[in-house]
Amino acid sequence: MKKLVYLPLLALAIVTLCSHDMYLKLNSYFLEPYTESTLALFNGTFEKSENAIDRDRMIDVSLVQNGSVEKAPTENWFEKDSTTYLKFKTAAPGTYVIGVSTKARSIEMDAKAFNDYLKHDGITDLLAHRTTEGSLGESAYELYSKHVKTMVQVGEKRSEDWKTALNYPIEFIPLQNPYELQPGDSLRVQLLLRQEPLSQQLVYLGYKAPATTHSHGGSTHTHESEESHEHTDLKQFRTNTKGEVVLPLDKAGVWYLRTIHLVPLENSEYTHESNWATLTFATASEMNHSHEEGAHATASQEEIPSYYFVLGSILVLILLFFYFRRSSNEK
């Protein structure tokens, strides 16, 4: 009886462990040139990292900027709580690309856990295939690896680095620079599997609203809006024969694209192989810049009265000093 009670919990634990998405994230995707920045590697959901990733598990860490591909030094990585971080310094203005590719790992799942995992992560094509061929009762021994990218805009100048392919086993390649787009525009993205277009693949698009910045008395405070928490209603797309999807970017904020290519294997010790890919970037509008300028303007306007108040106080003290001194001399 105890085993029957523990089995659902075990299945849930397996699904949770094997269905961690991986994302590269920043507090801001708009950076200043020649400044220190920190990049977070989330392994879990877009909102919460469940566990850190060891540096020796990363087979590639690339920073693309100004036409060159640099490899991040091991000492630039550090861990805090359940998240892995990378310190890096921006150079000249441009549209940068940062990517991480991990080694393959394996996991064994019973039939129920595997089916739940397929449903939970939206791998509905394989679930339908197992249903059709009557293999829902078969367990799985899966080989999986994850390959993630992010794009950031440094300064005002756009560069061509955004189109650089890192040649990961699976990879999203934008066909337009998202930092040249405004809310309401669409972005074309191509999905490659081993450098070839991957057609008829399900991909999911998520969105996070930008944090709002308020200035009070010269100090700046950042607050996440109610919309900034992870949306469970991800938009679903399917790549065309060229491996392309067109994504409607209707709001300013952070966007993340994810997919899992999972297929059965033959003549292998593994029953399945999966390759995971994500891409994160942001869109901005003139409203974002005007809001920031407004915050600075508010701070400046608040500083002026304080400035005059100090000068006025000093002037009053000087006048009082001479007044009382004169009164004393007259006596």
Side-chain angles (χ1 to χ4, degrees):
M1 178 64 69
K2 289 184 178 180
K3 289 185 178 180
L4 292 178
V5 173
Y6 290 145
L7 280 177
L9 296 177
L10 178 60
L12 177 62
I14 292 175
V15 170
T16 302
L17 289 173
C18 70
S19 61
H20 281 171
D21 283 314
M22 187 179 288
Y23 298 97
L24 288 171
K25 297 179 54 177
L26 297 95
N27 288 334
S28 174
Y29 294 78
F30 299 89
L31 306 177
E32 293 298 323
Y34 307 105
T35 58
E36 297 285 347
S37 297
T38 302
L39 177 76
L41 180 63
F42 272 39
N43 190 44
T45 68
F46 191 77
E47 288 294 332
K48 182 179 180 181
S49 184
E50 299 292 344
N51 63 276
I53 301 297
D54 294 335
R55 180 61 183 89
D56 59 6
R57 187 181 167 190
M58 307 176 196
I59 58 177
D60 180 80
V61 180
S62 294
L63 174 61
V64 185
Q65 57 180 354
N66 302 307
S68 65
V69 181
E70 301 177 2
K71 303 301 179 182
T74 302
E75 58 270 21
N76 287 12
W77 288 94
F78 67 96
E79 296 177 7
K80 183 178 180 181
D81 300 325
S82 58
T83 306
T84 310
Y85 296 92
L86 170 67
K87 291 183 177 180
F88 69 99
K89 186 174 182 179
T90 60
T95 306
Y96 290 22
V97 175
I98 306 173
V100 172
S101 180
T102 68
K103 295 178 181 178
R105 284 190 170 183
S106 61
I107 186 170
E108 291 188 73
M109 288 168 277
D110 62 28
K112 184 181 185 310
F114 188 60
N115 294 331
D116 289 344
Y117 152 51
L118 297 179
K119 182 179 180 180
H120 177 270
D121 271 28
I123 314 173
T124 55
D125 289 343
L126 182 57
L127 185 61
H129 176 73
R130 283 168 62 85
T131 303
T132 301
E133 70 172 8
S135 59
L136 286 174
E138 296 180 4
S139 60
Y141 185 27
E142 180 187 343
L143 186 69
Y144 68 94
S145 58
K146 302 177 182 182
H147 320 280
V148 298
K149 294 167 56 177
T150 188
M151 303 172 62
V152 298
Q153 180 59 44
V154 178
E156 296 295 329
K157 179 184 176 182
R158 282 26 172 192
S159 64
E160 298 297 306
D161 299 297
W162 56 270
K163 62 177 67 174
T164 303
L166 298 177
N167 296 327
Y168 290 162
I170 191 169
E171 182 176 4
F172 287 111
I173 304 291
L175 301 180
Q176 301 161 273
N177 186 343
Y179 293 100
E180 292 179 343
L181 304 178
Q182 294 292 326
D185 293 337
S186 294
L187 174 68
R188 284 196 310 130
V189 177
Q190 186 177 43
L191 179 61
L192 302 180
L193 179 69
R194 298 179 179 86
Q195 290 79 61
E196 295 293 332
L198 179 59
S199 64
Q200 299 304 307
Q201 173 69 17
L202 284 174
V203 300
Y204 296 88
L205 178 67
Y207 167 79
K208 180 179 179 181
T212 56
T213 301
H214 301 283
S215 182
H216 302 284
S219 61
T220 301
H221 306 277
T222 300
H223 305 279
E224 290 190 353
S225 68
E226 293 181 357
E227 293 182 78
S228 65
H229 300 291
E230 185 181 19
H231 289 190
T232 55
D233 54 338
L234 301 180
K235 295 182 180 179
Q236 178 180 296
F237 300 85
R238 190 178 291 275
T239 59
N240 62 18
T241 55
K242 296 181 180 180
E244 299 177 6
V245 289
V246 178
L247 309 174
L249 309 179
D250 56 349
K251 304 175 184 177
V254 180
W255 297 89
Y256 53 100
L257 196 58
R258 61 176 290 267
T259 192
I260 304 173
H261 181 256
L262 198 161
V263 293
L265 294 178
E266 296 181 359
N267 302 319
S268 171
E269 62 176 308
Y270 305 102
T271 61
H272 297 82
E273 180 183 16
S274 67
N275 281 281
W276 304 45
T278 63
L279 174 67
T280 57
F281 57 91
T283 54
S285 67
E286 293 180 358
M287 292 180 62
N288 295 108
H289 298 294
S290 63
H291 178 76
E292 293 174 358
E293 291 170 1
H296 293 303
T298 302
S300 299
Q301 290 166 3
E302 292 177 352
E303 288 174 4
I304 293 175
S306 300
Y307 178 71
Y308 279 112
F309 176 78
V310 173
L311 288 180
S313 299
I314 294 174
L315 181 60
V316 170
L317 289 174
I318 293 173
L319 292 174
L320 288 173
F321 171 77
F322 283 107
Y323 173 78
F324 285 112
R325 183 178 180 181
R326 181 178 177 182
S327 299
S328 176
N329 291 336
E330 289 177 351
K331 291 180 180 179

